[in-house]
Amino acid sequence: MLKVLIDRYIRDGQPVGSRTLSRDAGLDLSPATIRNVMSDLEELGFITSPHTSAGRVPTVAGYRFFVDTLLNVKPLDAKSVEQLRSELGIELATSELLESATGLLSGVTALAGVVTLPRHEHALFSRVEFLPLSDNRVLGILVTSEGEVQNRMIMTERACSPAELQQASNYLNELFAGKDLSAVRGTLLNEMQEARSTMNRMMMTAMQMADQILEKNQSEDYIMAGQTNLMEFHELCDIDKLRNLFDAFNKKREILSLLDQCVHGDGIQIFIGEESGYQTLDECSMVTAPYQVDGQIVGVLGVIGPTRMAYDRVIPIVDATARLLGAALNQKE
Amino acid sequence: MLKVLIDRYIRDGQPVGSRTLSRDAGLDLSPATIRNVMSDLEELGFITSPHTSAGRVPTVAGYRFFVDTLLNVKPLDAKSVEQLRSELGIELATSELLESATGLLSGVTALAGVVTLPRHEHALFSRVEFLPLSDNRVLGILVTSEGEVQNRMIMTERACSPAELQQASNYLNELFAGKDLSAVRGTLLNEMQEARSTMNRMMMTAMQMADQILEKNQSEDYIMAGQTNLMEFHELCDIDKLRNLFDAFNKKREILSLLDQCVHGDGIQIFIGEESGYQTLDECSMVTAPYQVDGQIVGVLGVIGPTRMAYDRVIPIVDATARLLGAALNQKE
DNA sequence: ATTTAGCACTCTCGAATATAGAGTGCCAAT
DNA sequence: ATTGGCACTCTATATTCGAGAGTGCTAAAT
């Protein structure tokens, strides 16, 4: 049986032969029989032998078939979920929560954990405030309807009185409150061209900040933990591979595009080996699950490990963590 | 001469023998003479041979003597400094600036770059603002004299009117403006016990935020880049060592304590191999320089690499980067 | 007195060779 | 359909061996 072989290979990373399989597996079959079956499986493309006299190793197709049809994933039992929940730390602030979730994923699975920052799709302009700091330094603060805050130091060409600042923020707040941030940006740009107001420096900055929030929402980012766990696996122990992998983690682009694909497909998503399409991840698999706030998918989390990871154990963990993180974020709303 | 030997070893990481040295070095000496000198150097503890018939390799003491007395470090020429300056990107905001400096260090030296976050020693309470978001959600914003901003969502047990919020912030601002943050915390704590005011929830939160800023200032942190560069060096290519090293980078504690030592000694500071006192860094050296804002040391930056790094090249780079970063941060003030 | 050439010796590294063991495929028997 | 047997293949590991690099020492040379 393919399942037994893959189970075995996942357990100890060695090519597995007919002998071992007949001895240790529950099946009561002689090595010869198993050899026959294995040669069938090889013809189907589910396993290969690295060389003529070593056991067989699952191919990507083999893994795929394995996870798609052979694997029966039981959801995590209540006790484990509770354990996870307590380790996550519901009371934490958003950013710490994400850190904690990442660490949790990597800690529990002994793989690399990854969590994208949640994105707020429909951020509206809520208000802007200007606080005087010193003579010609003003602190600009922009708040969105999501409670996201962006602040920026503004150098003004001349000292502004608190009243002036108040006037400026009143003006902008009245004009833009409740509008979509992207609309704000457009309007502001027009406004600037039509009438050069006295407050232009500040309006300019407000626009820049709106711009930056928009950008921050669009450009996704992720945090990661436990990369070093991957060094334990001898199939990745080649320095070159490892370096490429870690570089990819730092560059983020490729990983992000994969995570992005995961946000669109719903539910658990699994990339096995070359399926990712990125060469650096050829020998890695990725198991991801989107997490939701307010019934809306706002991000993805998951783990990255070698293709021979213990899918049956990892999948429920990723799934549960996604739910828990979503729930925890919901409470913040 | 020790200098030539170390230069040579730094260049290509191979134990260097008398033959090579007499041929390639500028000295006009026969291998035999060099052998004599080398055996003297070995007795002095500056070099050792890994085994009887391999060349000699510098010891920690050797490196130490080398950098302390043999090395003449020329400050970077103006052109290179200018190049660095432009790559740093003066116009960036503080956090991006730090990122950029880290990346720059690692990029230019092909080692791992590290920069501690600047600490503001004397942060004073500047003002606090409460912005209503929805019914019983309030956004609290705390600003320090350094322009540092901290914001926090506050859930109130009942809806607060804008006027109430205004009143609360006015009260706190009047009470605390210009005071030291730690004093604010103390006073607030007292206040809370003496009279349970209507605004206590908000004051409590303001206190928490002050607390958090204080904590953030005390607990240092650093950012790092180019860790993967270290994988190029075969003396570190052992997976176990590499894993320990990367784990240490993630844990941060040990590295932080080293960086902390660097902030106290003034000027360039160099730890060679075991000098650090941490086993994971046995085969690494660290070259650091503090950076200043307003004439005051606020942080440290540097690089981490193998003991056989090109000190003569790295030291001026670290030095220059520290100055440039300081200068760039100064402009923000 | 310092430098040099010569020489015997040591030790590692790499290639080449041998050997054990795991696994296969196929055939004939059950 | 399953199984035992058997010859065959191929890798991984150990072993051997020689080349080369480097050393230390001694005696000669400057």
Side-chain angles (χ1 to χ4, degrees), chain A residues 69-89:
Chain A
T69 80
L70 300 177
L71 210 57
N72 77 321
V73 236
K74 317 184 256 292
L76 230 51
D77 60 286
K79 216 181 73 192
S80 311
V81 173
E82 206 40 58
Q83 170 99 19
L84 281 182
R85 188 198 309 278
S86 72
E87 282 181 42
L88 185 59

PDB file of all heavy atoms in Angstrom, chain A residues 69-89:
ATOM      1  N   THR A  69      -6.169  11.743  -1.135  1.00  0.00           N
ATOM      2  CA  THR A  69      -7.152  10.675  -1.009  1.00  0.00           C
ATOM      3  C   THR A  69      -6.855   9.660   0.081  1.00  0.00           C
ATOM      4  O   THR A  69      -7.759   9.030   0.602  1.00  0.00           O
ATOM      5  CB  THR A  69      -7.300   9.923  -2.354  1.00  0.00           C
ATOM      6  OG1 THR A  69      -6.207   9.015  -2.465  1.00  0.00           O
ATOM      7  CG2 THR A  69      -7.284  10.881  -3.524  1.00  0.00           C
ATOM      8  N   LEU A  70      -5.596   9.498   0.436  1.00  0.00           N
ATOM      9  CA  LEU A  70      -5.293   8.461   1.414  1.00  0.00           C
ATOM     10  C   LEU A  70      -5.337   8.956   2.847  1.00  0.00           C
ATOM     11  O   LEU A  70      -5.469   8.194   3.777  1.00  0.00           O
ATOM     12  CB  LEU A  70      -3.908   7.869   1.138  1.00  0.00           C
ATOM     13  CG  LEU A  70      -3.721   7.218  -0.221  1.00  0.00           C
ATOM     14  CD1 LEU A  70      -2.298   6.750  -0.371  1.00  0.00           C
ATOM     15  CD2 LEU A  70      -4.687   6.063  -0.389  1.00  0.00           C
ATOM     16  N   LEU A  71      -5.170  10.269   2.961  1.00  0.00           N
ATOM     17  CA  LEU A  71      -4.997  10.820   4.294  1.00  0.00           C
ATOM     18  C   LEU A  71      -6.352  11.093   4.925  1.00  0.00           C
ATOM     19  O   LEU A  71      -7.178  11.786   4.350  1.00  0.00           O
ATOM     20  CB  LEU A  71      -4.208  12.119   4.170  1.00  0.00           C
ATOM     21  CG  LEU A  71      -3.326  12.506   5.350  1.00  0.00           C
ATOM     22  CD1 LEU A  71      -2.327  11.409   5.647  1.00  0.00           C
ATOM     23  CD2 LEU A  71      -2.629  13.801   5.025  1.00  0.00           C
ATOM     24  N   ASN A  72      -6.573  10.530   6.108  1.00  0.00           N
ATOM     25  CA  ASN A  72      -7.770  10.983   6.790  1.00  0.00           C
ATOM     26  C   ASN A  72      -7.337  11.857   7.968  1.00  0.00           C
ATOM     27  O   ASN A  72      -6.723  11.405   8.928  1.00  0.00           O
ATOM     28  CB  ASN A  72      -8.644   9.808   7.237  1.00  0.00           C
ATOM     29  CG  ASN A  72      -8.118   9.115   8.463  1.00  0.00           C
ATOM     30  OD1 ASN A  72      -6.906   8.958   8.595  1.00  0.00           O
ATOM     31  ND2 ASN A  72      -9.011   8.699   9.339  1.00  0.00           N
ATOM     32  N   VAL A  73      -7.594  13.120   7.800  1.00  0.00           N
ATOM     33  CA  VAL A  73      -7.161  14.082   8.814  1.00  0.00           C
ATOM     34  C   VAL A  73      -8.269  14.247   9.829  1.00  0.00           C
ATOM     35  O   VAL A  73      -9.360  14.663   9.499  1.00  0.00           O
ATOM     36  CB  VAL A  73      -6.881  15.456   8.182  1.00  0.00           C
ATOM     37  CG1 VAL A  73      -5.480  15.897   8.505  1.00  0.00           C
ATOM     38  CG2 VAL A  73      -7.145  15.443   6.709  1.00  0.00           C
ATOM     39  N   LYS A  74      -7.921  13.922  11.043  1.00  0.00           N
ATOM     40  CA  LYS A  74      -8.895  14.152  12.106  1.00  0.00           C
ATOM     41  C   LYS A  74      -8.655  15.541  12.668  1.00  0.00           C
ATOM     42  O   LYS A  74      -7.504  15.916  12.908  1.00  0.00           O
ATOM     43  CB  LYS A  74      -8.710  13.155  13.252  1.00  0.00           C
ATOM     44  CG  LYS A  74      -8.455  11.730  12.833  1.00  0.00           C
ATOM     45  CD  LYS A  74      -8.389  10.821  14.046  1.00  0.00           C
ATOM     46  CE  LYS A  74      -6.956  10.416  14.398  1.00  0.00           C
ATOM     47  NZ  LYS A  74      -6.273   9.553  13.470  1.00  0.00           N
ATOM     48  N   PRO A  75      -9.723  16.286  12.860  1.00  0.00           N
ATOM     49  CA  PRO A  75      -9.526  17.586  13.508  1.00  0.00           C
ATOM     50  C   PRO A  75      -8.924  17.382  14.891  1.00  0.00           C
ATOM     51  O   PRO A  75      -9.126  16.330  15.508  1.00  0.00           O
ATOM     52  CB  PRO A  75     -10.935  18.176  13.588  1.00  0.00           C
ATOM     53  CG  PRO A  75     -11.860  17.055  13.281  1.00  0.00           C
ATOM     54  CD  PRO A  75     -11.109  16.064  12.474  1.00  0.00           C
ATOM     55  N   LEU A  76      -8.204  18.351  15.321  1.00  0.00           N
ATOM     56  CA  LEU A  76      -7.521  18.283  16.609  1.00  0.00           C
ATOM     57  C   LEU A  76      -8.532  18.067  17.734  1.00  0.00           C
ATOM     58  O   LEU A  76      -9.605  18.656  17.725  1.00  0.00           O
ATOM     59  CB  LEU A  76      -6.784  19.607  16.834  1.00  0.00           C
ATOM     60  CG  LEU A  76      -5.329  19.520  17.237  1.00  0.00           C
ATOM     61  CD1 LEU A  76      -4.572  18.607  16.282  1.00  0.00           C
ATOM     62  CD2 LEU A  76      -4.720  20.900  17.229  1.00  0.00           C
ATOM     63  N   ASP A  77      -8.182  17.238  18.690  1.00  0.00           N
ATOM     64  CA  ASP A  77      -9.106  17.024  19.802  1.00  0.00           C
ATOM     65  C   ASP A  77      -9.163  18.273  20.684  1.00  0.00           C
ATOM     66  O   ASP A  77      -8.257  19.101  20.692  1.00  0.00           O
ATOM     67  CB  ASP A  77      -8.686  15.815  20.640  1.00  0.00           C
ATOM     68  CG  ASP A  77      -7.308  15.985  21.215  1.00  0.00           C
ATOM     69  OD1 ASP A  77      -6.334  15.873  20.427  1.00  0.00           O
ATOM     70  OD2 ASP A  77      -7.197  16.250  22.409  1.00  0.00           O
ATOM     71  N   ALA A  78     -10.258  18.364  21.400  1.00  0.00           N
ATOM     72  CA  ALA A  78     -10.560  19.588  22.148  1.00  0.00           C
ATOM     73  C   ALA A  78      -9.429  19.976  23.091  1.00  0.00           C
ATOM     74  O   ALA A  78      -9.111  21.151  23.257  1.00  0.00           O
ATOM     75  CB  ALA A  78     -11.855  19.412  22.940  1.00  0.00           C
ATOM     76  N   LYS A  79      -8.795  18.972  23.676  1.00  0.00           N
ATOM     77  CA  LYS A  79      -7.768  19.278  24.654  1.00  0.00           C
ATOM     78  C   LYS A  79      -6.585  19.998  23.975  1.00  0.00           C
ATOM     79  O   LYS A  79      -6.082  21.000  24.489  1.00  0.00           O
ATOM     80  CB  LYS A  79      -7.278  17.992  25.320  1.00  0.00           C
ATOM     81  CG  LYS A  79      -6.935  18.153  26.789  1.00  0.00           C
ATOM     82  CD  LYS A  79      -6.440  16.846  27.393  1.00  0.00           C
ATOM     83  CE  LYS A  79      -5.049  16.497  26.941  1.00  0.00           C
ATOM     84  NZ  LYS A  79      -4.639  15.123  27.280  1.00  0.00           N
ATOM     85  N   SER A  80      -6.182  19.466  22.830  1.00  0.00           N
ATOM     86  CA  SER A  80      -5.047  20.089  22.126  1.00  0.00           C
ATOM     87  C   SER A  80      -5.402  21.497  21.697  1.00  0.00           C
ATOM     88  O   SER A  80      -4.574  22.414  21.767  1.00  0.00           O
ATOM     89  CB  SER A  80      -4.676  19.253  20.907  1.00  0.00           C
ATOM     90  OG  SER A  80      -4.546  17.905  21.266  1.00  0.00           O
ATOM     91  N   VAL A  81      -6.635  21.669  21.220  1.00  0.00           N
ATOM     92  CA  VAL A  81      -7.048  22.997  20.796  1.00  0.00           C
ATOM     93  C   VAL A  81      -6.952  23.962  21.970  1.00  0.00           C
ATOM     94  O   VAL A  81      -6.450  25.078  21.847  1.00  0.00           O
ATOM     95  CB  VAL A  81      -8.489  22.983  20.252  1.00  0.00           C
ATOM     96  CG1 VAL A  81      -8.967  24.397  19.987  1.00  0.00           C
ATOM     97  CG2 VAL A  81      -8.562  22.149  18.986  1.00  0.00           C
ATOM     98  N   GLU A  82      -7.412  23.477  23.119  1.00  0.00           N
ATOM     99  CA  GLU A  82      -7.385  24.335  24.296  1.00  0.00           C
ATOM    100  C   GLU A  82      -5.950  24.714  24.642  1.00  0.00           C
ATOM    101  O   GLU A  82      -5.633  25.865  24.956  1.00  0.00           O
ATOM    102  CB  GLU A  82      -8.044  23.596  25.469  1.00  0.00           C
ATOM    103  CG  GLU A  82      -8.629  24.524  26.501  1.00  0.00           C
ATOM    104  CD  GLU A  82      -9.300  25.720  25.853  1.00  0.00           C
ATOM    105  OE1 GLU A  82     -10.244  25.557  25.029  1.00  0.00           O
ATOM    106  OE2 GLU A  82      -8.846  26.838  26.137  1.00  0.00           O
ATOM    107  N   GLN A  83      -5.104  23.727  24.524  1.00  0.00           N
ATOM    108  CA  GLN A  83      -3.681  23.943  24.782  1.00  0.00           C
ATOM    109  C   GLN A  83      -3.137  25.031  23.861  1.00  0.00           C
ATOM    110  O   GLN A  83      -2.479  25.985  24.296  1.00  0.00           O
ATOM    111  CB  GLN A  83      -2.935  22.637  24.516  1.00  0.00           C
ATOM    112  CG  GLN A  83      -1.420  22.758  24.516  1.00  0.00           C
ATOM    113  CD  GLN A  83      -0.837  22.313  25.835  1.00  0.00           C
ATOM    114  OE1 GLN A  83      -1.492  21.611  26.597  1.00  0.00           O
ATOM    115  NE2 GLN A  83       0.390  22.734  26.114  1.00  0.00           N
ATOM    116  N   LEU A  84      -3.445  24.887  22.581  1.00  0.00           N
ATOM    117  CA  LEU A  84      -3.001  25.882  21.601  1.00  0.00           C
ATOM    118  C   LEU A  84      -3.539  27.253  21.978  1.00  0.00           C
ATOM    119  O   LEU A  84      -2.814  28.245  21.994  1.00  0.00           O
ATOM    120  CB  LEU A  84      -3.487  25.520  20.197  1.00  0.00           C
ATOM    121  CG  LEU A  84      -2.727  24.438  19.421  1.00  0.00           C
ATOM    122  CD1 LEU A  84      -3.324  24.261  18.047  1.00  0.00           C
ATOM    123  CD2 LEU A  84      -1.262  24.797  19.313  1.00  0.00           C
ATOM    124  N   ARG A  85      -4.822  27.290  22.291  1.00  0.00           N
ATOM    125  CA  ARG A  85      -5.450  28.570  22.593  1.00  0.00           C
ATOM    126  C   ARG A  85      -4.725  29.272  23.742  1.00  0.00           C
ATOM    127  O   ARG A  85      -4.430  30.460  23.694  1.00  0.00           O
ATOM    128  CB  ARG A  85      -6.913  28.366  22.958  1.00  0.00           C
ATOM    129  CG  ARG A  85      -7.696  29.686  23.092  1.00  0.00           C
ATOM    130  CD  ARG A  85      -8.990  29.485  23.862  1.00  0.00           C
ATOM    131  NE  ARG A  85      -9.785  28.388  23.331  1.00  0.00           N
ATOM    132  CZ  ARG A  85     -10.594  28.489  22.289  1.00  0.00           C
ATOM    133  NH1 ARG A  85     -10.712  29.641  21.685  1.00  0.00           N
ATOM    134  NH2 ARG A  85     -11.261  27.445  21.876  1.00  0.00           N
ATOM    135  N   SER A  86      -4.416  28.500  24.753  1.00  0.00           N
ATOM    136  CA  SER A  86      -3.778  29.127  25.904  1.00  0.00           C
ATOM    137  C   SER A  86      -2.370  29.587  25.553  1.00  0.00           C
ATOM    138  O   SER A  86      -1.901  30.619  26.031  1.00  0.00           O
ATOM    139  CB  SER A  86      -3.749  28.158  27.076  1.00  0.00           C
ATOM    140  OG  SER A  86      -2.806  27.146  26.832  1.00  0.00           O
ATOM    141  N   GLU A  87      -1.691  28.837  24.692  1.00  0.00           N
ATOM    142  CA  GLU A  87      -0.337  29.240  24.327  1.00  0.00           C
ATOM    143  C   GLU A  87      -0.331  30.449  23.408  1.00  0.00           C
ATOM    144  O   GLU A  87       0.647  31.188  23.338  1.00  0.00           O
ATOM    145  CB  GLU A  87       0.401  28.080  23.665  1.00  0.00           C
ATOM    146  CG  GLU A  87       0.895  27.061  24.673  1.00  0.00           C
ATOM    147  CD  GLU A  87       1.650  25.934  24.009  1.00  0.00           C
ATOM    148  OE1 GLU A  87       2.456  26.210  23.100  1.00  0.00           O
ATOM    149  OE2 GLU A  87       1.414  24.767  24.374  1.00  0.00           O
ATOM    150  N   LEU A  88      -1.420  30.608  22.667  1.00  0.00           N
ATOM    151  CA  LEU A  88      -1.492  31.739  21.752  1.00  0.00           C
ATOM    152  C   LEU A  88      -1.556  33.045  22.522  1.00  0.00           C
ATOM    153  O   LEU A  88      -0.898  34.018  22.166  1.00  0.00           O
ATOM    154  CB  LEU A  88      -2.729  31.591  20.860  1.00  0.00           C
ATOM    155  CG  LEU A  88      -2.907  32.615  19.753  1.00  0.00           C
ATOM    156  CD1 LEU A  88      -1.715  32.581  18.816  1.00  0.00           C
ATOM    157  CD2 LEU A  88      -4.179  32.343  18.977  1.00  0.00           C
ATOM    158  N   GLY A  89      -2.309  33.034  23.610  1.00  0.00           N
ATOM    159  CA  GLY A  89      -2.396  34.247  24.415  1.00  0.00           C
ATOM    160  C   GLY A  89      -3.361  35.249  23.825  1.00  0.00           C
ATOM    161  O   GLY A  89      -2.967  36.182  23.140  1.00  0.00           O
TER     162      GLY A  89
END
